[in-house]
Each structure stands twice: as structure tokens, then as C-alpha cells.
Amino acid sequence: MRLLITAGPTHEPIDAVRFLGNRSSGRLGAALAETAASRGWDVRTLVGPHAILPSPSSDAIEVHRFQSTADLEALLVEHLPWCDMLIMAAAVSDFTPVVPDDAQDTKWRRGSDELSLQLRPTPDLLKGCAERARGDQLLVGFALEPAETMLASARGKLERKGIDFIVANPLETMDADRIEATILQRGGEPIAQTDGTIPKTDFAGWLLDQLDAAAAVRSTDHRTAHE
Ligand code: CTP
């Protein structure tokens, strides 16, 4: 199994020293990479700024760093063809500042006037991957959503992005030690669910078990369809 994992935040540049970012730590991506490598999978990780790196003792894990959504998009174009499965755990910015081309060479100065920052939406990277992916590749996304509307929102994202699986987590577990998850497959049907909440330290193992099993089913289906 060749596994490509994205993790951590994106930093969208505003000027030479400022950026628009988010609080993602990259912890889940690092845990997934270490767990997959310990199972003998080949792992490449695309890791955002200041995010936790997988343990350096594991030679089976290749690490590439990105800063902005545009950097991550370029890395995905380069590395997607290599993988059997993409797990998109990065917290990709939904917007990027509209700034002049040379903005990163200068620093904005404070004046007495108010300043407005214009934002434009970033491309949906998973959707782009789904448009380029081969039929034998599996694409997995995440949906962190309020519990009440979680499944409906996750189904919408799965369909909009055209990916194979989405891992839905309730927003309420974001800063907790335990996590709850439901994996939905293309079409919106749930294929696995944690037994209530489980410790976050067990989550990477649980998720890889489920995705490994789902990949085995998919590859049998794929083979049967081509026989
Ligand atoms: N994602 C992506 N490209 C983006 C934004 C998000 O590929 N520009 C990926 C994330 O890595 C995650 C999944 O899409 O795996 C869901 O991310 P989320 O931010 O919840 O979804 P959005 O597409 O941004 O939808 P919304 O803004 O409606 O929540």
C-alpha cells in the first residue's frame, strides 16, 4: 500500500511577514503516517508550516513541506500519481488574500486609515485530485461538523468533491481527548463507526484498519468489474 497523507494548516501569505492561517497541529496526520509505516506501508506526507512531523526514526516516511494552498496543490499534482490512497487530513484554507504579486517582498505599514483585506476562495484540492485520479486510487477526506448536521454535511462534501470516503467527526470533540467518527462511502452509506468515543491515541489505528478493509473490498470490486 502506498499512502499519501496531507497534514497541518496552510499559511496564505499577506505580505513579507504576515499570513492567514489556522490552528491545525498536524497531530492526526503524523499519527496516521507512523501507524501506517509500522504496518509496512510506504508513506509520503505533505506537511504544513509548524505542524508536527512524523517520528524521524521511521525511514519509511518521506516528508515534503508546504506553506500555502497553492504549494500544497502543486505537491498533490506531483505526488498523487504515486499513491494507492490519499488521506487528506490537512486543514486547507478556504480563502486566500488578494494581494499584489510583489506583496511578499514588502511589509505593510500601519497608517491612520482603516485597511481592508480582500479574500478569494481557494480551489477545492480534493475535488481537483478526484478529477485527475485513476480508478484504482482511493481518496479520503475529512468533515469536522456540528453533531446535529454532521452526516448530512459529510454526505454533501463526499458528493461535491467526488471522493471515495469521508471521515465525519463531530466538531464538539475538537479539543477533547476522545473522538467519535463515522466513515461514509461514495453514495453516502456509512461503512464504519467508532463504538461511541475512543481515545484519540487509538484513532489512527482504527481508521487505517477500516480504510484497509474498505480498500480490499474496492480492489476486489475493481478486479471483478474488469474481468
Ligand atoms: N479541502 C480541500 N481543499 C480545500 C478545502 C478543504 O481539499 N480548499 C479538504 C480538506 O482537507 C478535508 C475536506 O476537504 O479533507 C473537507 O474540508 P472542509 O474545510 O470541511 O470542507 P470545504 O470543502 O471547505 O467545505 P465547507 O467550506 O463548506 O465546510
Side-chain angles (χ1 to χ4, degrees), residues 64-116:
H64 300 267
R65 308 265 348 194
F66 61 82
Q67 294 282 325
S68 64
T69 300
D71 299 339
L72 176 55
E73 187 174 29
L75 283 173
L76 282 167
V77 168
E78 185 183 341
H79 294 281
L80 182 70
W82 168 85
C83 75
D84 298 310
M85 183 187 289
L86 165 68
I87 301 184
M88 190 80 178
V92 184
S93 178
D94 288 324
F95 296 95
T96 195
V98 178
V99 290
D101 285 345
D102 62 355
Q104 286 188 67
D105 303 331
T106 53
K107 189 182 157 207
W108 285 13
R109 300 279 166 200
R110 174 162 40 96
S112 50
D113 291 343
E114 282 184 10
L115 202 61
S116 302

Side-chain angles (χ1 to χ4, degrees), residues 88-94 122-126 140-145 157 160-161:
M88 190 80 178
V92 184
S93 178
D94 288 324
T122 54
D124 187 326
L125 302 188
L126 261 177
V140 183
F142 283 83
L144 188 65
E145 301 286 339
K157 280 185 187 176
R160 236 181 12 255
K161 292 167 190 282

Side-chain angles (χ1 to χ4, degrees), residues 5 33 43-48 51-56 58-66 75 79:
I5 301 172
V43 183
R44 285 188 192 175
T45 54
L46 311 181
V47 184
I52 292 171
L53 288 174
S55 155
S58 180
D59 293 338
I61 304 175
E62 199 176 296
V63 176
H64 300 267
R65 308 265 348 194
F66 61 82
L75 283 173
H79 294 281

